[in-house]
Amino acid sequence: MRSISFVVALLFALVSSTYAWPEIHVLEARKGGKGNGTANGNSVNRACRKMAKLESITALAANQTKLDAMVAKGRLNATEVEAIKAKAANATTELQTMQGNTTFVTECAVIGAHQKVVGQCKAMKSLAKLSDLANNATAMAALASKKQLNETQMAKLQEKIGNATTKLKEMQANTTLTDLCASQQKAKAGDASASTSATQAQSTGGSAAKGAAAGLSAQSAPYIFVPLLAGVFAMLL
Ligand SMILES: *[C@@H]1O[C@H](CO)[C@@H](O)[C@H](O)[C@H]1NC(C)=O
Ligand SMILES: *[C@@H]1O[C@H](CO)[C@@H](O)[C@H](O)[C@H]1NC(C)=O
Ligand SMILES: *[C@@H]1O[C@H](CO)[C@@H](O)[C@H](O)[C@H]1NC(C)=O
Ligand SMILES: *[C@@H]1O[C@H](CO)[C@@H](O)[C@H](O)[C@H]1NC(C)=O
Ligand SMILES: *[C@@H]1O[C@H](CO)[C@@H](O)[C@H](O)[C@H]1NC(C)=O
Ligand SMILES: *[C@@H]1O[C@H](CO)[C@@H](O)[C@H](O)[C@H]1NC(C)=O
Ligand SMILES: *[C@@H]1O[C@H](CO)[C@@H](O)[C@H](O)[C@H]1NC(C)=O
Ligand SMILES: *[C@@H]1O[C@H](CO)[C@@H](O)[C@H](O)[C@H]1NC(C)=O
Ligand SMILES: *[C@@H]1O[C@H](CO)[C@@H](O)[C@H](O)[C@H]1NC(C)=O
């Protein structure tokens, strides 16, 4: 039963996996435990997360279409919209200062690229677990009975599993990614040296900016994506 709960958790964790980079990195940094380097890495990290958050809230505050849609869906109310706009307005100067520091922006891009890969490796693991369900009637039946899924919900679950399999194959086709995940796994098993991670992040080179962009768009304020997750829950269960 425990493994079933795990799979259920995975189902929803997948949805949030793209949002995960800041937390993951904090954990990693803690594990790293390399004295000064880590402490410094942590503060840059924190600052990068802050910039991402400010960028995200600024973009949201400027996007009336999106705000209106969120209000319409009940994810935000008028008071919260005003609060977002006020927060964005207040953060303008601070954000511009951060964005004006190219050294810092570059550092954040490298961290973001690394985190993107870490997130993708995790997502692949989760997708594999889900995908495995397709070949395990016992586990499927246990899941259905535990969650008391009706036929519609079962069909949806099957579809999700099918989608997970498709997505997994797609990701596995990217050998750059699978290689990075493999060496990450190795680094974790052996000495998880910070330099390995840094090299990996660097080696993704051109995608650094893209990775950062993914981090940024993912960095929506928690009160935005928590209801979103809840919505997915409601949909399936
Ligand atoms: C950390 O840095 C300080 C100065 O920046 C230095 O005095 C100290 O020895 C360093 N500690 C370690 C563990 O490297
Ligand atoms: C505003 O948000 C919508 C999604 O809700 C997006 O499609 C659109 O590109 C955004 N507009 C701008 C200017 O970012
Ligand atoms: C908007 O939502 C917040 C909490 O999400 C709540 O405290 C506040 O009363 C709401 N405001 C209105 C006008 O509904
Ligand atoms: C405005 O930003 C400053 C820091 O930049 C912060 O100390 C202050 O609390 C913010 N005010 C509001 C209303 O968010
Ligand atoms: C720019 O960012 C770097 C790296 O985070 C930092 O060491 C430096 O102090 C910053 N420069 C200014 C002017 O804030
Ligand atoms: C199927 O799932 C059950 C329960 O999660 C597990 O104990 C079993 O090992 C799985 N069988 C296969 C062939 O993976
Ligand atoms: C299955 O359950 C969902 C949610 O509880 C419900 O909306 C739906 O109508 C049910 N479908 C059937 C065929 O019972
Ligand atoms: C499965 O993927 C298809 C195509 O991308 C999508 O339309 C559908 O909503 C997905 N189904 C589920 C349950 O996620
Ligand atoms: C493969 O994955 C890497 C790491 O995430 C990424 O930088 C690259 O763009 C991907 N390649 C393709 C073809 O999707």
Side-chain angles (χ1 to χ4, degrees):
M1 276 308 130
R2 195 170 175 186
S3 64
I4 295 297
S5 315
F6 180 60
V7 170
V8 172
L10 275 179
L11 269 170
F12 303 108
L14 279 179
V15 179
S16 62
S17 63
T18 47
Y19 300 110
W21 79 269
E23 287 77 13
I24 293 168
H25 199 84
V26 168
L27 288 176
E28 271 206 339
R30 275 197 202 124
K31 267 191 290 185
K34 283 248 167 177
N36 282 343
T38 302
N40 184 44
N42 262 337
S43 73
V44 171
N45 232 346
R46 240 194 326 272
C48 290
R49 269 184 290 156
K50 180 160 193 190
M51 181 171 71
K53 200 168 166 182
L54 294 182
E55 280 177 330
S56 153
I57 204 158
T58 300
L60 179 61
N63 192 335
Q64 194 61 46
T65 314
K66 194 167 188 171
L67 287 171
D68 288 345
M70 291 177 89
V71 170
K73 283 184 186 159
R75 283 184 201 155
L76 291 176
N77 65 29
T79 315
E80 289 163 326
V81 168
E82 285 318 305
I84 286 169
K85 288 183 174 175
K87 222 173 178 165
N90 186 44
T92 307
T93 311
E94 191 180 4
L95 179 56
Q96 280 171 354
T97 304
M98 287 175 133
Q99 288 172 332
N101 184 338
T102 51
T103 311
F104 172 67
V105 169
T106 305
E107 278 174 355
C108 290
V110 171
I111 292 171
H114 174 60
Q115 285 318 308
K116 183 187 164 199
V117 170
V118 170
Q120 284 175 320
C121 299
K122 278 197 157 187
M124 270 174 29
K125 271 192 180 167
S126 303
L127 288 168
K129 289 243 158 67
L130 247 185
S131 181
D132 284 349
L133 261 188
N135 304 313
N136 193 332
T138 317
M140 275 295 267
L143 179 58
S145 104
K146 186 180 184 204
K147 292 288 161 183
Q148 303 194 314
L149 300 180
N150 64 28
E151 268 177 42
T152 318
Q153 292 166 319
M154 272 308 275
K156 192 148 224 162
L157 177 59
Q158 298 276 15
E159 194 183 324
K160 262 199 141 104
I161 291 171
N163 282 6
T165 307
T166 308
K167 181 77 186 158
L168 178 63
K169 283 185 180 147
E170 207 178 287
M171 291 177 91
Q172 283 173 338
N174 184 339
T175 50
T176 310
L177 178 59
T178 52
D179 287 352
L180 284 171
C181 292
S183 49
Q184 228 167 56
Q185 197 68 33
K186 234 190 260 164
K188 227 196 234 168
D191 60 326
S193 77
S195 70
T196 314
S197 311
T199 313
Q200 279 171 17
Q202 294 281 13
S203 73
T204 60
S207 70
K210 226 167 71 193
L216 302 185
S217 59
Q219 243 322 57
S220 318
Y223 50 84
I224 294 161
F225 62 74
V226 165
L228 200 134
L229 266 180
V232 175
F233 250 106
M235 183 191 77
L236 188 71
L237 300 181

